[in-house]
Amino acid sequence: MISCEKIKKDYYTALLSKDNTFEGVFFVGVKTTGVFCRPTCPARKPKFENCEFYKTAQEALLASFRPCLRCRPLSHPNYVSETVTLLVNAVEENPTKRWKTHHFKELSIDESTARRQFKKHFDMTFVEYARARRIGIAIKYIRSGESVIDAQLLSGYESGSGFRDAFSKIMGSAPKNTNDHKTVLKATWLDTILGSMPAIADETGLYLLEFVDRRGLKLEIKRLLLKTKAAILPGTTNPITSIDRELKEYFDGKRMHFETPFHLLGSPFQKDVWHELIRILYGETRSYSDQAKSLNKLSAFKTVANANGANQLAIIIPCHRIISSEGTLGGYGGGIELKRWLIEHETAHKK
Ligand SMILES: [Zn+2]
């Protein structure tokens, strides 16, 4: 977004006079209508205070504006093919859709042609366009007070980092509407050799550390929000910095246990189970029945297994060290391949 007042005034003058020398120089987002336009749009001109100016159409899309139907900011200045028009319309019909090969086939569109034509006209591929629109929508949720991580999941955005970048670029600082929340938690995506891991914490401890592919992650975050009455914003806290460093050491095979403070949100029984898990040493494994026995809960075998599954601090609370009695790996929220990797990694590096 253009923030220099002087430039904005110049652009606004160009907008009022429909000065076509400014075509391609800027796009204007109209806050009252949610659309963005070319400088020469024939529609009635907005007030200055309702305008946000952008250098590219992509930035306007990322700021949750949709293309104006009158001046068609995405189809200027070149002739736009039917393919492009069709796809732009298809995105507007269902902006949160994640485009797969079969979707192109259903529209009888050749995927690589679409890619090439979008790149040529808008300087972004079709997938980038659809993604920009999706992120824009997620950011709209945030503006209306939804939590960030929730918005990310709502928009079906697959990896955290693109969203995070777009978010910080556009919002600059924390979104408004967080007054009703008791606390604010910060979330960061940590890059590890096993993929991106969302970490959520306040200044006193970690609440969540998970593999991004973990089944039930969305539900887990919803539960966390409910229990803490918190809003989640992108950012970092001391516990996040600390676990980031400790995880790097862990993945390098140099750290056997973690010192980052954390919060356990669970029933007293779940907490017992989690504390018991932490006692299992690095590089060792227990069976589910061993675990139930040591908790004097032989009859509650299933309950113990459920408590393992409810753990929100992957790796730190090592539920990956629990395997089935027959020596098979048993289940794991993050997926069996991750579990195998973690066990082998620890076996190889234990001292
Ligand atoms: Zn327009």
Side-chain angles (χ1 to χ4, degrees), residues 41-331:
C41 182
R44 204 162 60 85
K45 298 298 181 181
K47 288 185 180 153
F48 178 72
E49 60 268 29
N50 292 327
C51 294
E52 281 180 3
F53 295 96
Y54 300 93
K55 275 203 183 326
T56 65
Q58 191 171 18
E59 282 175 57
L61 284 167
L62 286 170
S64 22
F65 291 103
R66 60 181 193 282
C68 170
L69 291 174
R70 292 197 61 186
C71 65
R72 300 182 179 277
L74 292 174
S75 18
H76 190 81
N78 304 317
Y79 165 76
V80 168
S81 73
E82 242 172 76
T83 305
V84 170
T85 314
L86 201 80
L87 283 170
V88 167
N89 292 340
V91 167
E92 288 315 302
E93 266 169 40
N94 184 3
T96 57
K97 178 164 163 176
R98 289 162 71 170
W99 285 76
K100 302 269 161 58
T101 302
H102 68 92
H103 293 130
F104 293 96
K105 288 213 178 94
E106 280 156 24
L107 291 171
S108 314
I109 286 174
D110 176 55
E111 204 175 337
S112 62
T113 308
R115 157 180 279 271
R116 208 172 46 245
Q117 293 191 356
F118 263 79
K119 190 81 193 160
K120 187 175 151 218
H121 288 294
F122 312 134
D123 202 29
M124 54 183 149
T125 66
F126 173 69
V127 169
E128 283 167 344
Y129 169 78
R131 180 182 292 161
R133 193 72 185 95
R134 272 208 312 274
I135 295 178
I137 285 166
I139 284 164
K140 208 160 157 187
Y141 283 122
I142 294 162
R143 284 193 170 142
S144 66
E146 299 253 359
S147 304
V148 171
I149 289 203
D150 243 20
Q152 182 184 353
L153 294 164
L154 284 169
S155 75
Y157 195 61
E158 54 283 359
S159 109
S161 64
F163 180 86
R164 185 178 53 199
D165 293 348
F167 180 87
S168 39
K169 213 181 274 170
I170 291 148
M171 306 298 287
S173 55
K176 296 159 199 135
N177 296 324
T178 51
N179 311 342
D180 305 339
H181 299 285
K182 226 170 85 186
T183 49
V184 173
L185 309 180
K186 296 294 175 63
T188 300
W189 282 261
L190 307 177
D191 297 319
T192 79
I193 49 171
L194 297 183
S196 189
M197 294 184 77
I200 302 177
D202 60 11
E203 275 302 341
T204 60
L206 265 185
Y207 281 96
L208 183 135
L209 177 71
E210 279 298 358
F211 293 102
V212 81
D213 299 328
R214 190 215 204 285
R215 58 165 193 262
L217 177 61
K218 185 172 175 175
L219 197 69
E220 215 173 86
I221 291 167
K222 277 217 148 69
R223 238 184 268 133
L224 173 64
L225 288 170
L226 215 65
K227 280 182 185 160
T228 55
K229 295 191 176 35
I232 300 178
L233 302 178
T236 187
T237 64
N238 286 328
I240 292 177
T241 318
S242 162
I243 198 62
D244 190 22
R245 189 188 58 243
E246 290 190 351
L247 274 179
K248 282 193 178 80
E249 293 162 1
Y250 171 85
F251 285 117
D252 285 346
K254 290 173 189 150
R255 175 167 287 276
M256 316 285 139
H257 63 96
F258 296 92
E259 286 153 52
T260 299
F262 55 78
H263 301 282
L264 293 178
L265 295 179
S267 67
F269 173 70
Q270 285 175 327
K271 287 182 192 170
D272 283 351
V273 171
W274 296 335
H275 282 299
E276 197 62 31
L277 283 172
I278 294 171
R279 287 200 196 102
I280 307 172
L281 295 176
Y282 181 96
E284 292 183 8
T285 53
R286 294 267 180 289
S287 71
Y288 290 101
S289 56
D290 287 341
Q291 189 196 10
K293 252 182 250 163
S294 65
L295 284 156
N296 292 320
K297 293 273 181 191
L298 196 50
S299 56
F301 183 84
K302 185 81 188 146
T303 334
V304 174
N306 286 343
N308 288 346
N311 165 31
Q312 307 198 335
L313 295 163
I315 303 180
I316 300 178
I317 296 179
C319 56
H320 60 276
R321 293 177 195 154
I322 299 290
I323 58 174
S324 81
S325 313
E326 304 86 63
T328 60
L329 284 179

